Amino acid sequence: MQETPPHIAIVPTPGMGHLIPLTELARWLAEFNINVTLLIPNDDSPPSNSQLSLLQNLPPSVSHRFLSPVDVTDLHSGIPVETRIELTMTRSIPDLRDSLRVLSESTRLVGIVVDLLGYKALSLAQEFDIQSYVFFITSALGLCCAYSMPKLDKMHTREYRDLPEPVQFCPGSVHVHGADFPDPVQDREREVYKFFLGLTECYSKVTGILVNSFFDLEPVAFKYLMENRGKEDNFPPVYSVGPVIRAGPEGELLDGSNSLKWLDNQPNDSVLFVSFGSGGNLSHEQLIELALGLELSGQRFLWVVKSPHDKSNASYFGVNNVDNPLEYLPQGFLDRTKGLGLVVPNWAPQVQILSHGSTGGFLTHCGWNSILESISHGVPLIAWPLYAEQRLNSVIIAEDLKVAFRVKPNEKGLIQSDQIGQYAQCLIQGEEGRVLQEKMRTLMDAANVALNKDGSSKESLAKVAQVIMNHKITKNESNHL
Ligand code: UDP
């Protein structure tokens, strides 16, 4: 008799940058004959078109369910994104528990996967006697940073941005200035600091940590993470499984702007793609400066523009896309750049744009998915970090991998149009830009190798799949075997 396939619950915390890699991981696990249910917490806003489109065309062995919406109206608007995510997760636990119970009664449920901020759900693994995994959806260096924080907290009393010297999160790694540490550790008085400090403690009992990166991209960080295992008891196995990025065809469905058709008519490697991810916003002053910089550069561009906001992550929860962003552009900008640039409101099919031959550079807010997508398609970068761990990501790409120019704000915190113009020009046409592109293409090749049948990431994922397959169910076993 054939055994029922094992079943895994995957729980992404709110945000497209979380849902995308976790949905893709579900697809990848399905290839190992593992069934998956995505259980998606949400905070009362109806699913967006981009969410729904992502959840279309999943293989039959991957299903999804939105958990009952939770009330977050008591949270004040200044609350850190990470805290709101954590509270949404905490408040979703009762429904998550019920959903797991249903799954454990109807399938051979053997494990749960949460993303890096979903640690509150890990306790359910013990209740159901199943395996637990963290999908760490940012860099391996980010994980080293998390592991370093308790020690750094003991060593220093001042804010990290005031440290006179940069630090290394593991021996041999790139030096990082305190000002480039992730947002949650930038204010030691805040609750979110304590949460970040305790993050790796929360991970200590998990079956494994899957990192969305690949060994040859971050060999120093991965060696450290993998070798520490065995030396320290509370260090679970770490698997490099990336780049787990979206490859699906749903992009075209969302291309109301016809950006792909527009790209078809541009010369090879000539277009600078400009986007600040799913949640990033610029102030109005900064948005105007960016527009003038693009115009000044004389380069072709494809810009996904969002309405301005003084909070750099204002549209993270999708609340800021109500008015027409084009109204905020400088007067006459669209006419003056007609033929040279395309401006797309709010959302564009990013992976398809990056994979298009006409795209020659990417001005990015340095979300980790965006970086992986750019690496996977060999597109060099201008790094313009805004929030979360994006400044740390920009250090990795600009100073360690050297595949990006990093913008520098003036004393008022503004990136000026002349700098934007210069970087855009240099990336698309200049000699330095050509060097970055060559390095990026080498990384693209390395990413492809990692994902080959015998590549490091595919092998790591196969090991995880094996552990999942081997899980012995002690409760309810007789129901499903
Ligand atoms: N994305 C997209 N179109 C957009 C903006 C974003 O397809 O207009 C996708 C992008 O390809 C990436 C994800 O949304 O997969 C954003 O994740 P990232 O980690 O780069 O940034 P975040 O939005 O989480 O800050």
Side-chain angles (χ1 to χ4, degrees):
M1 193 182 77
Q2 221 185 0
E3 227 182 43
T4 314
H7 203 104
I8 291 282
I10 295 190
V11 188
T13 58
M16 278 306 278
H18 300 196
L19 185 61
I20 289 171
L22 271 83
T23 304
E24 204 55 34
L25 180 72
R27 273 183 211 276
W28 291 23
L29 286 174
E31 285 172 19
F32 291 93
N33 197 25
I34 294 169
N35 292 348
V36 180
T37 300
L38 288 152
L39 296 170
I40 307 168
N42 81 90
D43 58 7
D44 217 7
S45 38
S48 64
N49 285 345
S50 29
Q51 277 179 320
L52 293 173
S53 138
L54 183 69
L55 296 165
Q56 282 171 1
N57 303 323
L58 289 170
S61 52
V62 179
S63 49
H64 71 274
R65 175 174 175 251
F66 283 95
L67 295 177
S68 314
V70 294
D71 185 7
V72 288
T73 47
D74 58 320
L75 307 183
H76 63 85
S77 61
I79 200 165
V81 163
E82 294 81 1
T83 308
R84 179 164 162 179
I85 290 174
E86 187 202 350
L87 286 171
T88 305
M89 190 71 229
T90 308
R91 293 172 187 186
S92 299
I93 293 286
D95 193 19
L96 181 57
R97 179 181 286 113
D98 289 346
S99 301
L100 289 175
R101 189 170 299 122
V102 170
L103 279 180
S104 73
E105 284 164 8
S106 55
T107 73
R108 197 179 140 220
L109 182 70
V110 301
I112 180 168
V113 181
V114 300
D115 64 50
L116 75 183
L117 296 179
Y119 70 95
K120 280 276 161 72
L122 289 171
S123 60
L124 293 175
Q126 274 144 33
E127 277 182 39
F128 285 86
D129 196 17
I130 54 178
Q131 297 178 355
S132 57
Y133 294 91
V134 170
F135 187 21
F136 201 79
I137 50 176
T138 183
S139 65
L141 190 69
L143 184 55
C144 294
C145 165
Y147 274 110
S148 305
M149 285 322 296
K151 196 163 140 211
L152 288 169
D153 179 66
K154 288 201 186 83
M155 280 166 64
H156 304 287
T157 49
R158 56 169 96 172
E159 294 296 351
Y160 299 110
R161 61 179 172 275
D162 298 327
L163 293 182
E165 298 295 331
V167 302
Q168 287 178 298
F169 293 130
C170 65
S173 70
V174 64
H175 290 77
V176 183
H177 286 280
D180 289 329
F181 285 16
D183 274 356
V185 301
Q186 288 296 345
D187 181 347
R188 299 170 67 129
E189 293 303 314
R190 293 187 96 160
E191 205 48 41
V192 68
Y193 177 69
K194 294 187 192 79
F195 146 65
F196 200 81
L197 212 60
L199 200 62
T200 50
E201 182 58 33
C202 298
Y203 295 172
S204 61
K205 300 269 182 312
V206 298
T207 317
I209 303 178
L210 283 56
V211 183
N212 196 4
S213 183
F214 55 101
F215 191 89
D216 286 339
L217 188 70
E218 301 188 86
V220 172
F222 272 120
K223 260 191 209 137
Y224 173 77
L225 292 167
M226 288 165 176
E227 283 169 9
N228 253 348
R229 161 105 189 116
K231 282 193 209 146
E232 291 178 34
D233 284 349
N234 63 354
F235 222 98
V238 171
Y239 301 92
S240 59
V241 299
V244 180
I245 63 161
R246 187 160 39 146
E250 76 277 357
E252 283 81 3
L253 301 177
L254 285 174
D255 191 20
S257 61
N258 285 330
S259 47
L260 300 174
K261 277 206 189 97
W262 181 81
L263 281 173
D264 286 343
N265 294 321
Q266 311 306 319
N268 265 359
D269 291 334
S270 70
V271 176
L272 180 70
F273 176 51
V274 181
S275 174
F276 296 90
S278 61
N281 294 83
L282 304 178
S283 67
H284 195 194
E285 195 183 4
Q286 184 63 83
L287 187 125
I288 288 177
E289 208 67 27
L290 171 55
L292 298 178
L294 292 173
E295 190 178 343
L296 207 64
S297 77
Q299 303 305 307
R300 291 181 171 80
F301 62 86
L302 169 46
W303 179 12
V304 186
V305 70
K306 280 189 261 164
S307 297
H309 203 287
D310 287 336
K311 234 173 101 185
S312 64
N313 54 16
S315 54
Y316 187 88
F317 294 99
V319 289
N320 194 41
N321 296 340
V322 283
D323 53 3
N324 179 6
L326 305 193
E327 283 171 10
Y328 297 90
L329 294 169
Q331 241 191 352
F333 172 79
L334 290 175
D335 285 336
R336 292 194 301 273
T337 56
K338 208 171 183 172
L340 201 65
L342 183 70
V343 177
V344 176
N346 296 322
W347 190 266
Q350 179 166 307
V351 172
Q352 280 78 5
I353 289 169
L354 290 170
S355 66
H356 197 287
S358 301
T359 305
F362 181 15
L363 189 164
T364 172
H365 74 312
C366 300
W368 190 246
N369 294 296
S370 293
I371 290 174
L372 290 179
E373 288 160 6
S374 220
I375 289 175
S376 301
H377 297 100
V379 179
L381 300 162
I382 298 174
W384 185 325
L386 293 179
Y387 63 96
E389 88 303 9
Q390 293 158 11
R391 286 182 307 276
L392 177 60
N393 297 344
S394 77
V395 173
I396 299 176
I397 53 175
E399 290 167 38
D400 191 18
L401 300 170
K402 298 191 171 49
V403 291
F405 300 127
R406 179 175 175 179
V407 298
K408 289 165 208 70
N410 66 13
E411 62 293 343
K412 278 163 58 198
L414 207 66
I415 319 290
Q416 286 172 306
S417 57
D418 51 350
Q419 190 191 147
I420 298 164
Q422 257 173 22
Y423 278 150
Q425 214 272 339
C426 193
L427 190 73
I428 299 295
Q429 300 230 311
E431 179 52 26
E432 274 182 274
R434 204 191 49 74
V435 174
L436 297 194
Q437 189 190 51
E438 260 175 34
K439 287 199 180 126
M440 210 32 150
R441 300 237 158 124
T442 314
L443 292 183
M444 174 178 77
D445 293 342
N448 286 334
V449 169
L451 296 181
N452 278 345
K453 202 164 123 301
D454 305 324
S456 57
S457 294
K458 267 283 141 72
E459 282 193 345
S460 279
L461 194 65
K463 279 187 199 152
V464 174
Q466 201 54 53
V467 179
I468 291 173
M469 300 284 195
N470 291 345
H471 182 76
K472 294 276 171 280
I473 297 179
T474 50
K475 288 180 187 166
N476 302 329
E477 189 169 18
S478 54
N479 292 347
H480 316 297
L481 295 181

